[in-house]
């Protein structure tokens, strides 16, 4: 071999040893530290590094032997996960006593310890033994009998073709079903499941394109179709999703949002609620969030839509609160929070008032009277007006205040729905006490407003309603939700 | 040579040289890296340089890991010299020569490089380096090659070698055959490679088993009777036209001893065979290509391209896995073995499984009617068989009744190292066969009954006769577990698949190995003989299915497409369609007769496509690994597997999550 002569050829590269410097003891999974820990625990102190390192290497080799043996058992059991049972069988086959007490069905939990002698960041893991009180086990734990193994046949393939039955997995989506659907930019092309019958898919695309068209007549026709046609139930999840997505998207754009889309969305909710052939109840939890957002969000693309949203909400409540008893109280809770939490904007509060009005008399009483919503709202309005008088009062603020006042006024109308008898009882203005009482309940701002209102009958009616409410107030057990809000 | 640096340099230079070689030579040089790497690593361990060995492994193993994961990982756990003396893989590498094939010109280049560091690469290509260091490194390589490698220099100068050829000829193949030539004269001392071993063996008798003359007359008579009963059905024996492809029938004197006289069940089985053949759905995958003449041959049986598959899904299985399952040939019974040591029988016809009562008086039983009277009154369509004391890895129904009636016997093998024979009349364990020392992975009835074979962790396969408690033959030669055993349809040969990556064919009479099938890159997990007796299909842990020609022992083709373990293989009755079931929750259909290979149409990404062109269909199940797939004699397919619970993934130990 010495006769072989090497010619100098090129540069000398660095040997890899310097390129990848590893700590001398890092020779595998089992480190010599672990061996030392184990030795310590067995009462063998002061193990030399060389011995520990050699032992670590050997332990690693032996453990690997056991694992390779166990993998055979795993493979023949046609599994892909190694279990403790495999290890047991492997140990048995290697003439080692198996580790008793581990079951594949009970996952191990480990505890982490930091041994005293070692530096930071080195931990020892130990299996945690659960302490079981035998008496309690005997008394309480009922062993659940597992279900018997069963066998059920089905056709996986008929002459090489998989039948479309629930037992078989759905066929992989073929590319052409997606391409032959017209992909109009306004409709989400991929949201429809391909399992829908083709006519419905067509209807869906047509409907959405009509709803989004600038043509009022087409839009109205589409909404009317949605409100009356039968057989649309399969589309409901998609439509509800669509509404949710669209509303979120438009509202996120604040003032730039497209009011037309929002209006259409509201219209769709209304139409679907109207349609007797559509079973909307399961989707309420999906519909209500966008609706409430439309009502409450402050930088609103179209504040004029708030009343519409409120009326749609009213529609839903009258339809579903009899069947779904917690609906009203849940809504009340949300609305009260919007009305009373300090950092909300004025338009949000106004929206909340409208929402409370949509809940009915009870909503108004709870919100404006009992939780003193009117009083705080009044204070805020007053503050705004003061600021307005101060000089820099923008038109916008004025408009917001006016909207709030309008909302409260409409809400309070619900308290005294009685139509004024023409000229019947106009003679008597409210007396001092009445006025005081109103101001007490609604705060100075709205109290004064009501008492100074031209419509005396209404004012009196409100006063009476308040009086009644006050009388009852003592023994009305206040809803827990409301309680939380007030405190 | 205590300096680890020489080995680093040597390997680094070899790698650079292989990478810098011309494209046409690179495929034959690349296999050099693995054995040289292994021996360098083992050298370092042997010298006690554990740390250097670890550094060497970390630096150079990533390139080899994709192809040699299991071996390399195993070697990486060897860290002390003492391990080398006991570890089998290491010992094999040390004691046997690793064979490589090179062309004449390639070998010349290699020798050139070894001597002066220049061969093969254009001047200055790669960053090979010279000087003292380079020479020492090449010396180290040369030493390994001299001591442990055997390079076969092909006579041809052309460098081209297919990947398949490489798989069959490269590796520690010599020991696979040198051990198995029993008592041959001086020439067997020189270790032969599998090809020459296979070529040296005598030709195989692969034809159909002979039919006893008396039995044949009886069968003909029975068929005539049926014909008279239902004259509309022309159930006569199909014209025996000896096709030119038909293999000659085995001479009766070559057959293993069988019961001298036939019984009624034999007649019934043979009649059922004939009627199955007439009623069989003919499969013809070529119809897929030419759909135009799909309905040819009026009046003939219906011809379809692909089979119909009935899937029996097992649900509520404890832990969601079933080690084995099998259907009886008449499709009336399903047996599954569980890890919880029991076997469960199902009657698929919905009839009750009723055993015989144990408290009857034998003298009262005179005819069949009496037997019916002593059957258990109660029964259900499913029944547990309890007896094993470890996971049950294999079950097999006796083939005596064929498709004419339900089987009477069941064999099972288990981790408790026993094989048990169960009577399906008594629903009880009748015989326990002990002999294997380790878990018995597989047991299989011979095609004619009477005999059965088993394969075990103790590296042997054994042939048994139901009447004797001790094995008749022990087939030793595999270097690792015998994972699966299958009988040739004429019961003259037994095929075994092993974790040593090979399959073997044994002569049952002589107990000698007659063929070695080398080429898989993982243990064998499934096997099937084609009913015409010519081919053997093997499924392996390397996720491929190989089709072998029994006569030559050569690989016909390699079929890939599965992406998890292959559990079961089965041929159609015409041997033209192969079905496989696997842990990837699919059943796949393969065309046996087509050429296969990686056909790539234009614009397709070659790297992502692992499926060979002979994959006819992939039929996914819903979360059900297919444990068993089986053609019935009439070319229907039955498959079974446990559906996996859709539960959360296994809970990791807390510190891993």
């Amino acid at each position: 071999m010495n006769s072989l002569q090497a010619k100098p050829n090129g540069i000398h590269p660095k040997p890899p040893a310097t390129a990848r410097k590893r700590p001398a003891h890092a020779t595998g999974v089992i480190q010599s530290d672990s061996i030392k820990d184990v030795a310590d625990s067995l009462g063998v102190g002061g193990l030399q590094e060389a011995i520990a390192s050699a032992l670590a290497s050997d332990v690693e080799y032996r453990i690997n032997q056991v694992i390779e043996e166990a993998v055979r058992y795993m493979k023949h059991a046609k599994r892909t996960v190694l279990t403790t049972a495999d290890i047991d069988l492997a140990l048995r086959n290697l003439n080692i006593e198996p580790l008793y007490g581990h079951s594949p069905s009970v996952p191990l939990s480990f505890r982490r310890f930091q041994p005293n002698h070692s530096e930071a960041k080195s931990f020892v893991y130990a299996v945690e033994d659960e302490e079981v009180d035998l008496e309690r086990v005997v008394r309480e734990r009922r062993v659940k009998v597992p279900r018997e193994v069963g066998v059920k046949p089905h056709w996986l393939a008929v002459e090489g073709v998989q039948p479309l039955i629930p037992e078989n997995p759905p066929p992989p989506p073929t590319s052409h079903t997606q391409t032959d659907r017209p992909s109009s930019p306004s409709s989400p092309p991929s949201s429809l499941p391909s399992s829908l019958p083709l006519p419905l898919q067509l209807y869906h695309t047509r409907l959405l394109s009509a709803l989004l068209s600038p043509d009022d007549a087409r839009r109205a026709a589409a909404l009317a179709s949605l409100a009356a046609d039968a057989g649309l139930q399969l589309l409901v999840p998609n439509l509800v999703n669509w509404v949710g997505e669209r509303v979120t998207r438009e509202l996120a754009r604040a003032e730039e949002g497209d009011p037309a889309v929002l209006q259409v969305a509201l219209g769709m909710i209304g139409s679907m609620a109207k349609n007797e052939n559509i079973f909307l109840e399961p989707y309420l939890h999906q519909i209500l969030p966008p609706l409430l957002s439309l009502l409450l969000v402050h930088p609103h693309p179209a504040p004029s839509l708030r009343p519409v949203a409120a009326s749609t909400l009213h529609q839903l409540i009258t339809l579903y609160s009899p069947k779904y008893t917690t609906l009203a109280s849940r809504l009340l809770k949300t609305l009260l929070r919007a009305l009373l939490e300090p950092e909300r904007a004025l338009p949000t509060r106004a929206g909340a008032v409208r929402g409370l009005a949509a809940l009915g008399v009870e909503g108004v009483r709870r919100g404006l009277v009992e939780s003193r919503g009117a009083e705080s709202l009044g204070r805020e309005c007053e503050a705004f007006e003061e600021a307005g008088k101060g000089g820099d009062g923008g038109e916008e603020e004025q408009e917001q205040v006016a909207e709030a006042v309008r909302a409260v006024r409409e809400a309070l109308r619900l308290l005294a729905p009685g139509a004024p008898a023409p000229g019947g009882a106009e003679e008597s203005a409210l007396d001092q006490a009445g006025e005081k009482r109103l101001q007490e309940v609604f705060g100075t701002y709205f109290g004064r407003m009501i008492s100074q209102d031209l419509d005396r009958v209404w004012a009196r009616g409100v006063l009476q309603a308040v009086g009644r409410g006050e009388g009852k107030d003592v023994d009305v057990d206040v809803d827990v939700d409301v309680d939380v809000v007030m405190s | 040579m205590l300096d680890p640096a020489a080995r680093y340099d040597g390997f680094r230079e070899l790698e650079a040289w292989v990478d810098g070689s011309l494209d046409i030579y690179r495929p034959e040089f690349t296999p050099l890296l693995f054995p040289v790497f292994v021996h360098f690593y083992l050298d370092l361990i042997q010298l006690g340089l554990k740390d250097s060995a670890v550094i060497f492994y970390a630096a150079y193993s990533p390139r080899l890991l994709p192809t040699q994961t299991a071996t390399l990982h195993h070697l990486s756990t060897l860290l002390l010299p003492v391990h080398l003396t006991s570890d089998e893989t290491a010992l094999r590498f040390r004691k046997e020569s690793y064979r490589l094939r090179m062309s004449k010109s390639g070998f010349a280049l290699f020798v050139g490089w070894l001597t002066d560091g220049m061969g093969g690469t254009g001047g200055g290509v790669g960053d090979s380096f010279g000087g003292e260091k380079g020479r020492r490194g090449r010396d180290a390589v040369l030493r390994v090659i001299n001591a442990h490698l055997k390079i076969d220099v092909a006579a041809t100068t052309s460098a081209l070698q297919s990947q398949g050829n490489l798989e069959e000829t490269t590796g520690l193949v010599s020991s696979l055959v040198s051990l198995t030539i029993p008592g041959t004269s001086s020439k067997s001392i020189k270790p032969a490679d599998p090809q020459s071993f296979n070529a040296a063996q005598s030709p195989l008798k692969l034809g159909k088993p002979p039919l006893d003359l008396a039995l044949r007359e009886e069968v003909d008579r029975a068929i005539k009777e049926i014909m008279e009963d239902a004259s509309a059905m022309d159930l006569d024996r199909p014209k025996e036209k000896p096709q030119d492809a038909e293999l000659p029938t085995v001479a009766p004197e070559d057959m293993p001893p069988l019961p001298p006289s036939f019984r009624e069940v034999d007649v019934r089985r043979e009649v059922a065979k004939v009627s199955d053949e007439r009623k069989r759905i003919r499969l013809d995958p070529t119809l897929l290509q030419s759909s135009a003449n799909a309905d040819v041959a009026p009046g003939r049986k219906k011809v379809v391209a692909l089979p119909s598959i009935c899937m029996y899904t097992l649900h509520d299985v404890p832990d969601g896995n079933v080690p084995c399952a099998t259907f009886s040939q008449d499709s009336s019974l399903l047996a599954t073995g569980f890890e919880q040591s029991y076997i469960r029988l199902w009657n698929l016809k919905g009839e009750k499984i009723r055993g015989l009562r144990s408290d009857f008086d034998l003298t009262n039983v005179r005819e069949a009617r009496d037997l019916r009277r002593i059957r258990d009154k109660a029964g259900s369509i499913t029944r547990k068989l309890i007896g094993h004391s470890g996971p049950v890895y294999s079950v097999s129904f006796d083939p005596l009744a064929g498709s004419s009636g339900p089987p009477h016997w069941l064999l099972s093998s288990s981790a408790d190292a026993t094989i048990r024979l169960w009577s399906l009349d008594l629903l009880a364990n009748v015989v326990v066969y002990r002999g294997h020392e380790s878990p018995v992975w597989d047991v299989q009835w011979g095609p004619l009954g009477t005999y059965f074979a088993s394969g075990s962790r103790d590296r042997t396969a054994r042939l048994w006769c139901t009447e004797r408690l001790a094995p008749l033959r022990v087939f030793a030669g595999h270097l690792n577990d015998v994972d699966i055993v299958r009988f040739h349809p004429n019961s003259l040969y037994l095929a075994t698949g092993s974790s040593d990556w090979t399959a073997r064919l044994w002569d049952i009479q002589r107990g000698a190995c007659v063929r070695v099938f080398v080429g898989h890159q993982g243990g064998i997990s499934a096997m099937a003989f084609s009913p015409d007796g010519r081919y053997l299909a093997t499924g392996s842990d390397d996720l491929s299915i190989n089709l072998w020609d029994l006569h030559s022992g050569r690989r016909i083709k390699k079929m890939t497409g599965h992406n998890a373990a292959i559990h079961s293989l089965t041929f159609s009755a015409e041997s033209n369609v192969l079905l496989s079931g696997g842990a990837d929750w699919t059943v796949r259909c393969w065309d046996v007769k087509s050429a296969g290979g990686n056909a790539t149409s234009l614009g397709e990404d070659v790297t992502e496509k692992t499926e060979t062109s002979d994959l006819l269909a992939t039929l996914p199940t819903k979360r059900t690994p297919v444990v068993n797939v089986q053609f019935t004699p009439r070319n229907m397919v039955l498959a079974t597997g446990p559906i996996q619970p859709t539960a959360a993934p296994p809970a990791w130990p807390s510190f891993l999550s």
Side-chain angles (χ1 to χ4, degrees):
Chain A
M1 239 181 286
N2 288 338
S3 64
L4 300 177
Q5 286 296 313
K7 284 179 189 166
N9 181 14
I11 45 155
H12 291 252
K14 281 179 200 157
T18 52
R20 281 172 181 245
K21 194 81 185 167
R22 288 174 59 150
H25 62 271
T27 51
V29 184
I30 313 281
Q31 306 282 310
S32 53
D33 288 354
S34 317
I35 298 295
K36 281 182 192 162
D37 289 334
V38 173
D40 279 351
S41 74
L42 294 173
V44 182
L47 207 62
Q48 282 175 29
E49 173 63 34
I51 296 172
S53 164
L55 265 176
S57 300
D58 198 51
V59 167
E60 181 154 354
Y61 174 66
R62 301 296 163 197
I63 287 182
N64 207 63
Q65 259 187 328
V66 174
I67 292 175
E68 280 182 10
E69 188 70 31
V71 165
R72 294 175 202 271
Y73 288 92
M74 177 192 83
K75 256 172 31 187
H76 283 277
K78 302 206 162 62
R79 256 183 287 117
T80 48
V81 180
L82 199 69
T83 64
T84 49
D86 295 329
I87 302 278
D88 273 359
L89 285 167
L91 289 172
R92 242 178 255 261
N93 198 42
L94 293 168
N95 262 334
I96 305 168
E97 184 155 357
L99 303 162
Y100 297 105
H102 299 295
S103 145
S105 54
V106 181
L108 288 179
S109 66
F110 287 84
R111 261 178 83 178
R112 196 166 72 166
F113 299 98
Q114 186 157 23
N116 291 328
H117 64 83
S118 70
E119 297 89 52
K121 295 232 170 177
S122 82
F123 294 103
V124 173
Y125 295 90
V127 180
E128 192 167 39
D129 275 332
E130 194 192 346
E131 269 183 36
V132 181
D133 183 6
L134 274 180
E135 255 182 52
R136 229 186 52 210
V137 170
V138 172
R139 234 183 310 120
E140 289 178 7
R141 211 175 280 177
R142 293 273 151 75
V143 180
K144 242 169 82 184
V145 178
R147 289 183 62 183
E148 278 284 283
V149 183
V151 63
K152 188 169 176 283
H154 74 270
W155 286 107
L156 183 67
V158 176
E159 297 183 0
V161 181
Q162 271 198 300
L164 290 172
I165 48 173
E167 286 88 351
N168 284 331
T174 45
S175 53
H176 77 100
T177 50
Q178 279 172 1
T179 47
D180 65 9
R181 203 185 300 143
S183 54
S184 73
S186 53
S187 68
S190 58
S191 67
L192 268 188
S194 54
S195 57
L196 277 184
L198 194 62
L200 269 187
Q201 295 191 16
L202 279 176
Y203 177 84
H204 185 259
T205 42
R206 288 274 182 80
L207 181 76
L208 288 189
S209 71
L211 284 172
L212 291 169
S213 77
D215 186 352
D216 280 345
R218 278 188 72 192
R219 235 182 303 163
L223 286 177
S225 155
L226 198 56
D229 285 358
L232 303 180
Q233 184 63 42
L234 283 177
L235 281 179
V236 171
N238 292 80
L239 293 174
V240 167
N241 268 343
W242 189 86
V243 166
E245 272 169 32
R246 278 309 167 109
V247 167
T248 322
R249 198 197 306 169
E250 296 300 331
L251 289 183
R253 286 162 65 195
E255 268 97 359
E256 280 111 66
D258 188 355
V261 174
L262 294 176
Q263 200 177 348
V264 164
L266 271 176
M268 281 170 75
I269 298 175
S271 297
M272 280 191 282
K274 244 182 256 167
N275 194 333
E276 285 170 4
N277 299 309
I278 290 181
F279 182 55
L280 202 58
E281 212 173 311
Y283 304 100
L284 273 184
H285 68 284
Q286 268 176 295
I287 287 180
L288 287 175
L291 195 57
L292 286 179
S293 308
L294 275 171
L295 197 61
L296 298 180
V297 157
H298 167 42
H300 200 297
S304 56
L305 281 180
R306 282 210 176 91
V308 188
S311 76
T312 310
L313 186 65
H314 181 67
Q315 190 187 347
L316 287 180
I317 286 163
T318 44
L319 265 175
Y320 293 108
S321 62
K323 276 186 250 171
Y324 186 51
T325 45
T326 52
L327 179 67
S329 69
R330 280 211 236 162
L331 282 171
L332 185 66
K333 186 175 159 186
T334 317
L335 291 169
L336 278 178
R337 201 175 292 147
L339 179 64
L340 296 173
E341 273 178 10
E343 69 275 13
R344 302 294 175 130
L346 192 56
T348 301
R349 293 184 200 279
V353 172
R354 283 196 186 277
L356 288 170
L359 286 181
V361 186
E362 193 55 29
V364 175
R365 199 194 307 283
R366 282 280 179 80
L368 292 186
V369 183
E370 284 168 21
S371 355
R372 307 225 152 254
E375 192 180 347
S376 63
L377 192 61
R379 265 203 301 281
E380 208 163 322
C381 288
E382 222 165 356
F384 262 95
E385 270 176 4
E386 288 298 315
K389 276 174 201 152
D392 59 334
E395 262 175 50
E396 207 178 314
E397 264 107 43
Q398 293 299 332
E399 181 50 43
Q400 282 177 7
V401 171
E403 160 68 15
V405 170
R406 248 194 325 270
V408 172
R409 201 179 266 271
E410 269 165 39
L412 292 181
R413 276 225 182 265
L414 286 176
L415 285 181
E426 68 165 47
E427 76 290 357
S428 55
L430 287 173
D431 51 7
Q432 268 320 55
E435 202 167 313
K436 197 169 171 216
R437 171 93 186 106
L438 278 176
Q439 286 193 13
E440 209 172 88
V441 175
F442 295 112
T444 43
Y445 185 77
F446 284 112
R448 206 177 302 141
M449 189 189 82
I450 297 165
S451 53
Q452 283 163 10
D453 198 283
L454 290 176
D455 190 348
R456 303 276 167 190
V457 183
W458 173 64
R460 197 178 301 272
V462 171
L463 184 59
Q464 271 168 13
V466 170
R468 277 206 304 275
E470 196 74 359
K472 260 198 307 191
D473 195 26
V474 188
D475 46 47
V476 157
D477 60 331
V478 179
D479 195 334
V480 182
D481 297 347
V482 184
D483 214 19
V484 169
V485 169
M486 286 196 299
S487 56
Chain B
M1 278 312 287
L2 277 169
D3 182 15
R7 293 196 172 79
Y8 297 156
D9 294 342
F11 193 78
R12 192 190 173 80
E13 210 181 340
L14 180 66
E15 208 175 19
W17 176 74
V18 167
D19 287 341
S21 62
L22 292 175
D23 281 350
I24 53 162
Y25 292 117
R26 204 175 299 143
E28 49 181 295
F29 292 155
T30 317
L32 275 169
L33 293 173
F34 177 64
V36 173
F37 174 88
V38 170
H39 283 287
F40 278 1
Y41 180 81
L42 295 179
D43 283 347
L44 292 171
I45 294 293
Q46 187 97 62
L47 295 170
L49 304 170
K50 182 170 83 181
D51 299 337
S52 312
V54 169
I55 292 165
F56 179 70
Y57 185 88
Y60 297 115
S61 68
R63 173 195 181 124
L64 301 165
L65 269 175
T67 49
Q68 307 279 357
T69 324
T71 318
L72 283 177
H73 182 258
H74 178 82
L75 290 174
S76 76
T77 61
L78 307 174
L79 292 167
L80 298 175
V82 65
H83 295 159
L84 299 190
T85 58
S86 60
D87 189 79
E88 282 182 34
T89 314
L91 283 178
R92 275 190 74 193
F93 269 101
R94 283 312 206 189
K95 292 204 172 135
E96 297 166 19
S97 54
Y98 190 97
R99 289 180 91 90
L100 286 168
R101 253 185 124 96
M102 273 195 201
S103 63
K104 224 181 223 168
S105 46
F107 186 64
L109 289 170
F110 182 50
V111 171
W113 175 77
L114 281 174
T115 46
D116 61 9
M118 283 289 281
T121 52
V125 177
D127 57 348
S128 63
F129 52 96
E132 182 64 15
K133 245 180 167 174
R135 193 186 56 73
R136 271 195 347 203
R138 285 199 305 279
D139 280 356
V141 174
L142 183 63
R143 210 171 294 121
V144 164
I145 285 166
N146 279 340
H148 303 296
L149 264 67
K150 167 119 179 53
I151 298 179
D152 298 331
V153 182
T156 53
T157 46
S158 88
L160 285 174
Q161 267 190 329
S162 71
Q163 180 64 30
N165 201 348
L166 211 76
E167 283 177 358
E168 285 163 46
T169 53
T170 307
L172 297 164
V173 290
S174 55
S175 70
L176 297 177
V177 286
S178 62
L179 289 171
T180 58
I181 306 174
T184 349
S185 54
S186 56
K187 65 178 178 182
S188 73
I189 293 165
K190 185 179 148 224
D193 62 299
Q195 269 82 16
S196 46
F197 172 82
N198 286 344
Q201 299 296 320
S202 52
L204 303 173
K205 305 181 187 82
L206 298 177
K208 288 206 163 61
L211 203 58
D212 183 56
L213 226 79
L215 172 60
R216 185 191 198 109
E217 275 168 21
E218 188 62 33
V219 170
D220 282 349
R221 201 182 52 74
I223 289 171
K224 272 204 195 94
E225 251 171 46
I226 296 170
M227 258 176 67
E228 276 159 23
D229 284 0
S231 52
M233 261 169 53
D234 56 337
L235 194 75
D236 63 332
R237 182 177 286 273
K239 292 282 169 291
E240 276 175 39
K241 40 187 183 232
Q243 296 165 358
D244 49 350
E246 195 92 7
L247 295 158
T249 310
V250 179
E253 60 269 22
D254 289 333
M255 293 299 288
L258 289 166
S261 58
F262 62 88
R263 290 173 295 166
E264 201 202 330
V265 65
D266 294 317
V267 180
R268 272 193 279 127
R269 179 188 66 228
E270 293 302 321
V271 173
K273 248 187 212 168
V274 174
S275 93
D276 280 341
E277 201 166 326
R278 299 206 59 94
K279 292 184 180 168
R280 185 174 295 155
I281 307 160
R282 276 183 56 226
L283 300 178
D284 191 359
T286 52
L287 290 179
L288 285 179
Q289 274 84 43
S290 54
S291 54
N293 50 2
D295 39 9
V296 280
R300 290 282 305 169
K301 287 161 282 180
K302 198 182 169 197
V303 181
V304 294
L306 291 172
S308 303
I309 305 171
C310 188
M311 178 84 197
Y312 286 86
T313 310
L314 299 164
H315 52 84
D316 299 311
V317 178
D319 301 335
N321 73 298
V322 172
C324 61
T326 188
F327 294 94
S328 68
Q329 269 194 47
D330 68 336
S331 316
S332 67
L333 286 174
L334 166 67
T336 53
F338 289 91
E339 277 197 272
Q340 287 75 18
S341 312
Y342 65 91
I343 300 160
R344 194 178 264 282
L345 283 175
W346 272 280
N347 189 312
L348 301 179
K349 289 176 171 170
E351 293 160 5
K352 285 181 176 169
I353 298 176
R354 301 194 307 177
L356 297 178
R357 287 205 313 267
S358 51
D359 57 342
F360 60 91
D361 186 4
L362 200 62
T363 52
N364 292 343
V365 181
R366 295 187 190 285
E367 47 186 316
R369 263 214 327 271
D370 299 335
L371 268 181
R372 219 173 302 142
R373 208 174 303 138
I374 56 167
R375 281 198 186 280
D376 254 331
K377 292 284 176 293
S380 75
I381 60 163
T382 171
R383 180 77 190 240
K384 255 185 190 179
L385 301 178
I386 300 171
H388 278 296
S389 58
V392 180
Y393 291 123
S394 177
V395 282
S396 178
F397 282 112
D398 85 271
L400 264 183
S403 54
S404 68
H408 292 282
W409 306 99
L410 177 77
L411 278 170
S412 65
S413 75
S414 154
D416 62 9
T418 64
I419 303 162
R420 280 168 195 264
L421 179 70
W422 305 82
S423 161
L424 299 181
D425 294 317
L426 302 170
L427 293 173
N429 185 204
V430 204
V431 190
V432 183
Y433 300 95
R434 297 174 203 273
H436 284 293
E437 294 151 16
S438 309
V440 187
W441 296 136
D442 196 21
V443 65
Q444 167 97 5
W445 278 97
L448 306 171
T450 312
Y451 298 102
F452 64 93
S454 61
S456 161
R457 166 86 185 92
D458 63 11
R459 300 174 185 195
T460 62
R462 292 175 195 223
L463 181 76
W464 309 74
C465 172
T466 44
E467 290 164 4
R468 289 159 196 262
L469 287 176
L472 303 175
R473 298 276 184 280
V474 177
F475 304 103
H478 276 295
L479 303 171
N480 215 330
D481 304 19
V482 178
D483 293 310
I484 185 157
V485 291
R486 287 289 178 267
F487 272 95
H488 188 272
N490 67 12
S491 80
L492 286 185
Y493 301 101
L494 180 74
T496 54
S498 163
S499 296
D500 66 3
W501 300 9
T502 64
R504 283 163 188 271
L505 192 70
W506 307 83
D507 188 319
I508 283 184
Q509 301 265 45
R510 290 191 295 134
C513 178
V514 287
R515 293 289 182 274
V516 181
F517 306 101
V518 184
H520 272 301
Q521 299 298 301
I524 313 279
S525 60
M527 272 201 306
F529 274 104
S530 69
D532 65 5
R534 292 163 181 276
Y535 310 116
L536 173 69
T538 54
S540 156
D541 292 343
D542 64 7
L543 307 185
S544 68
I545 299 166
N546 281 356
L547 191 69
W548 307 89
D549 179 44
L550 292 178
H551 260 300
S552 64
R554 282 184 198 285
R555 173 155 65 179
I556 298 170
K557 60 178 178 174
K558 180 175 174 178
M559 300 174 261
T560 57
H562 273 288
N563 39 37
I566 298 157
H567 288 330
S568 178
L569 289 170
T570 180
F571 272 98
S572 71
E574 295 99 341
S575 309
N576 56 356
V577 177
L578 177 71
L579 255 73
S580 62
D584 55 0
W585 305 345
T586 61
V587 173
R588 288 171 200 254
C589 305
W590 308 87
D591 188 354
V592 174
K593 307 285 179 192
S594 87
N598 264 320
T600 46
S601 48
L602 281 173
E604 266 183 292
D605 191 2
V606 191
T607 51
E608 279 190 20
K609 190 169 173 176
T610 56
E611 293 161 4
T612 46
S613 62
D614 45 8
L615 175 58
L616 296 170
T618 303
L619 303 159
T621 65
K622 256 189 187 172
R623 315 182 50 77
T624 308
V626 183
V627 170
N628 187 45
V629 51
Q630 219 168 309
F631 264 102
T632 68
R634 296 187 183 176
N635 270 350
M636 255 266 303
V637 181
L638 305 176
T640 187
I643 191 158
Q644 301 296 298
T646 46
W652 294 107
S654 49
F655 64 92
L656 284 177
S657 52

